[in-house]
Amino acid sequence: PSTQSRHGIIKYDPKIHTFNFERQLSLDIQRAMNENELFIVYQPKVHPEQNSVVGIEALMRWKHPVYGIISPAVFIPILENANRISDVTDWLIERVCQQLAAWTNIGIELPQISINIPGMYLTSPRLNKVINRSLLKYKIQASKIELEITETSVIHDIHNAISAVRTFREKGLSVALDDFGTGLSSLSYLKEIPISTIKIDKSFIDGVPNSAKDASILKSIIHLCYSLDLNVLVEGVETKEQVQFIMGLEKVPIVQGYYYSKPLTVEEYEQWWKKRKEVGEQNGEISIG
Ligand code: C2E
Ligand code: MG
Ligand code: MG
Ligand code: MG
């Protein structure tokens, strides 16, 4: 049902476009997985004082032949709606474990890789099986894997989320609470859920250090997390001033953000790693690209 204008050009109809786009993506996802249209980039997590990499986060990208590069912020919710998210997450887990094993083989040691787990898949028994299978297949210790779950997904089904997280922690995996502070939730669930790390959302660092209020909110959140005995990571750190602010804190959290590195392809990450190794972890500004 397209509308033709006077000039014979098909008018853009956002409703039809959205419907077709979403439907098309859910039809294309299997091909995308098979033919490497879907791929993974990795973003380092850095200890700013020791200047060491404590882990990397796996982030998906989709290079679609018609739509170009599609952000996961766009395609993940679409695949969730279309009930295709478990297939994609299974694919992701398998690939990440395979990559970790490959890096270990060539001497690139990594303390940990983090995988984003969508809320609706977290509590599925299938997730547990898929993780077990990949750990076994690639001979990976559970402690090498961290699952990132969002506050929103936890609140959605708090009871089952808690028991899923407990199962994974008992197995030795780490579990991080992602985008912390954006879920408009009460903080009471924090003492119930056995997570290992809190990732403080980028929105809390954006105004730092210029805004005194933002700085004091960030400080208080970090303090709260440490007082609950959790590891703390600040995401979306982009500037030197932000890093300096963080380094000035009594207890310095882990950071992740463009200041240290954007998410990198496998090849880029290997170069980044080699460069860092050459420069030496103790005396170094880290530079990439
Ligand atoms: P997230 O898990 O909170 O990931 C962090 C996002 O912030 C990533 O965007 C990353 O590229 C971006 N980022 C990191 N540092 C900076 C910075 O300094 N400045 C700015 N402006 N951005 C920064 P990305 O890769 O587009 O992912 C967006 C969201 O999509 C993720 O948020 C996550 O919720 C979801 N996502 C990404 N990959 C996957 C995946 O493989 N599976 C699932 N389920 N969700 C994913
Ligand atoms: Mg994440
Ligand atoms: Mg995050
Ligand atoms: Mg985020």
Side-chain angles (χ1 to χ4, degrees):
S2 54
T3 7
Q4 295 231 297
S5 79
R6 277 187 299 138
H7 310 289
I9 297 161
I10 296 170
K11 268 203 256 166
Y12 175 76
D13 181 334
K15 273 201 282 323
I16 292 168
H17 173 79
T18 301
F19 175 76
N20 283 336
F21 177 67
E22 299 191 355
R23 191 166 165 275
Q24 195 60 51
L25 288 193
S26 32
L27 291 172
D28 288 349
I29 186 65
Q30 191 60 49
R31 182 200 65 215
M33 290 188 283
N34 295 341
E35 302 189 6
N36 298 320
E37 283 171 30
L38 205 63
F39 62 99
I40 306 166
V41 288
Y42 296 90
Q43 188 180 34
K45 302 179 177 186
V46 177
H47 192 302
E49 280 179 310
Q50 293 162 11
N51 204 12
S52 55
V53 176
V54 299
I56 54 177
E57 177 175 7
L59 296 156
M60 271 194 279
R61 297 288 178 265
W62 188 346
K63 194 166 188 286
H64 192 280
V66 175
Y67 301 118
I69 295 265
I70 311 169
S71 159
V74 171
F75 71 78
I76 297 285
I78 292 175
L79 297 176
E80 278 181 314
N81 275 335
N83 269 319
R84 301 305 310 273
I85 199 68
S86 27
D87 295 342
V88 177
T89 307
D90 292 354
W91 175 92
L92 174 70
I93 293 166
E94 160 93 21
R95 289 299 173 94
V96 165
C97 289
Q98 188 179 37
Q99 186 60 60
L100 183 59
W103 275 332
T104 307
N105 267 336
I106 59 170
I108 298 183
E109 277 297 336
L110 262 169
Q112 205 165 51
I113 295 196
S114 309
I115 304 175
N116 290 285
I117 303 293
M120 57 192 294
Y121 196 34
L122 174 69
T123 52
S124 156
R126 173 167 152 188
L127 175 64
N128 199 11
K129 283 186 203 139
V130 169
I131 291 176
N132 284 339
R133 196 180 62 202
S134 287
L135 292 180
L136 257 156
K137 179 169 172 192
Y138 297 104
K139 302 188 173 62
I140 290 167
Q141 286 176 324
S143 63
K144 291 276 185 184
I145 303 293
E146 178 175 72
L147 308 180
E148 292 193 7
I149 61 175
T150 62
E151 200 179 4
T152 332
S153 70
V154 169
I155 304 154
H156 176 73
D157 185 1
I158 183 84
H159 183 75
N160 288 317
I162 289 173
S163 81
V165 170
R166 188 178 299 125
T167 307
F168 290 121
R169 289 301 309 278
E170 280 166 0
K171 213 204 298 276
L173 286 93
S174 298
V175 178
L177 195 60
D178 206 354
D179 300 340
F180 180 71
T182 59
L184 295 171
S185 63
S186 93
L187 293 172
S188 58
Y189 73 97
L190 271 187
K191 56 182 200 288
E192 320 283 347
I193 187 157
I195 49 166
S196 24
T197 300
I198 293 232
K199 296 187 74 174
I200 300 173
D201 191 69
K202 178 178 184 300
S203 53
F204 293 96
I205 186 83
D206 282 344
V208 176
N210 297 336
S211 150
K213 274 188 186 161
D214 287 5
S216 100
I217 292 173
L218 180 65
K219 253 190 197 168
S220 315
I221 298 176
I222 293 172
H223 185 77
L224 167 80
C225 297
Y226 278 135
S227 68
L228 291 168
D229 247 342
L230 296 162
N231 300 312
V232 184
L233 180 149
V234 179
E235 60 176 24
V237 174
E238 294 182 346
T239 68
K240 191 167 196 150
E241 291 70 30
Q242 291 172 336
V243 172
Q244 278 162 350
F245 175 86
I246 285 171
M247 297 244 269
L249 299 173
E250 201 185 316
K251 201 168 170 199
V252 179
I254 304 299
V255 301
Q256 183 179 4
Y258 293 173
Y259 177 75
Y260 286 102
S261 172
K262 294 200 168 186
L264 305 171
T265 63
V266 170
E267 295 73 29
E268 287 169 339
Y269 179 72
E270 290 174 0
Q271 280 163 19
W272 188 83
W273 187 88
K274 279 175 194 147
K275 207 166 181 177
R276 280 180 60 95
K277 207 175 177 212
E278 280 163 20
V279 173
E281 297 214 328
Q282 64 279 23
N283 58 318
E285 276 294 309
I286 304 162
S287 58
I288 172 84

